[in-house]
């Protein structure tokens, strides 16, 4: 599938945004990652350079490809200047609807009229953002998975007003990134992957809550019988128990369906402040 995209801008220099930007640069796109804080950009650059240099050492990437990507990747605190000549924007800022709407309104004012504006959000659907712009037909979700440099899947999710051209170009860019396109025909909270994951997580929590098995044995079942790389409780610890809880709350706020609320066991775990690897303890203890 063809596209006319040359310049890509990524908004947000966190772990997701910075890695998405490097994915774009490695694919040969002139890319700028934008953040409001220079310290965030400096940290992102240091971490990215360390990661891709390590990939070269381990033979995962060639030195030439990494050097070309470094030359194609720019870092800036000036969003207006960065998007002045952009063709395609991927927003990966904080998961806050009001902030995202403000960002998209500003992008709409400064980005060229033909530029496509996408959001990496898995919790906030693009229909909640599109009307903050004068180009709702050029807005959609482009959801990467963490870590973006490793995970192959990218969900492309149009809202009702997204044009077919926007869908096609976003799919073409995803393909050019070397990613596997997961194309949704319509919006739904949680999209596809997180809904599948949510169903597995919910069943695991129910089994644990009912006393059917300890969480360690439920994880062993997922790995030893289903060949999952890690169990649902290990995965909650990796992603963050706070993230798992807030994703469910975000879906509940969008649907109003009581079934969307976090399972009581997850809510109780969230209340302890033990969120997993990031805090040193979750379902498992990482203090050592």
């Amino acid at each position: 599938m063809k596209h006319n995209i040359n310049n890509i801008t990524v908004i947000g220099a966190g772990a997701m945004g910075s890695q998405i930007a490097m994915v774009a640069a490695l694919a040969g796109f002139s890319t700028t990652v934008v953040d409001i804080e220079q310290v965030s950009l400096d940290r992102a650059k240091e971490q990215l350079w360390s990661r891709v240099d390590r990939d070269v050492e381990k033979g995962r990437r060639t030195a030439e490809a990494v050097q070309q990507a470094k030359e194609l990747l720019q870092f800036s605190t000036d969003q207006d200047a960065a998007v002045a000549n952009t063709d395609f924007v991927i927003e990966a800022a904080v998961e806050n609807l009001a902030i995202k709407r403000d960002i998209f309104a500003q992008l709409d004012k400064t980005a060229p009229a033909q530029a496509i504006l996408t959001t990496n959000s898995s919790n906030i659907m693009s229909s909640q953002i599109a009307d903050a712009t004068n180009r709702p037909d050029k807005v959609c979700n482009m959801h990467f998975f963490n870590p973006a440099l490793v995970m192959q899947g990218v969900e492309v999710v149009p809202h009702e007003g997204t044009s077919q051209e926007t869908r096609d170009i976003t799919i073409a860019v995803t393909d050019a990134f070397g990613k596997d396109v997961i194309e949704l025909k319509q919006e739904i909270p949680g999209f596809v992957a997180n809904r599948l994951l949510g169903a597995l997580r919910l069943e695991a929590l129910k089994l644990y809550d009912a006393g059917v098995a300890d969480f360690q044995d439920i994880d062993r079942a997922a790995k030893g019988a289903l060949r999952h790389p890690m169990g649902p409780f290990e995965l909650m610890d990796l992603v963050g128990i706070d993230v798992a809880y807030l994703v469910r709350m975000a879906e509940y706020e969008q649907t109003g369906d009581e079934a969307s609320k976090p399972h009581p066991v997850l809510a109780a775990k969230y209340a302890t402040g033990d969120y997993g690897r990031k805090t040193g303890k979750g379902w498992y203890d990482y203090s050592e």
Side-chain angles (χ1 to χ4, degrees), residues 16 19-20 22-24 26-27 61 142-156 170-182:
M16 284 300 296
Q19 288 197 34
I20 291 168
M22 179 55 80
V23 166
L26 285 165
R61 305 183 195 277
M142 187 183 190
H143 177 224
F144 293 74
F145 295 88
N146 189 31
L149 276 165
V150 176
M151 301 298 282
Q152 279 299 110
V154 175
E155 292 175 316
V156 176
T170 304
I171 288 170
V173 169
T174 305
D175 187 60
F177 284 177
K179 300 297 188 182
D180 297 331
V181 178
I182 304 161

Side-chain angles (χ1 to χ4, degrees), residues 107-140:
L107 289 170
D108 185 53
K109 292 177 182 177
T110 53
Q114 76 276 10
I116 289 172
L117 310 179
T118 72
T119 175
N120 177 58
S121 180
S122 62
N123 299 328
I124 298 172
M125 297 185 292
S126 63
S127 60
Q128 298 172 277
I129 302 171
D131 66 345
T133 76
N134 291 308
R135 63 181 92 188
D137 60 311
K138 295 185 179 298
V139 176
C140 69

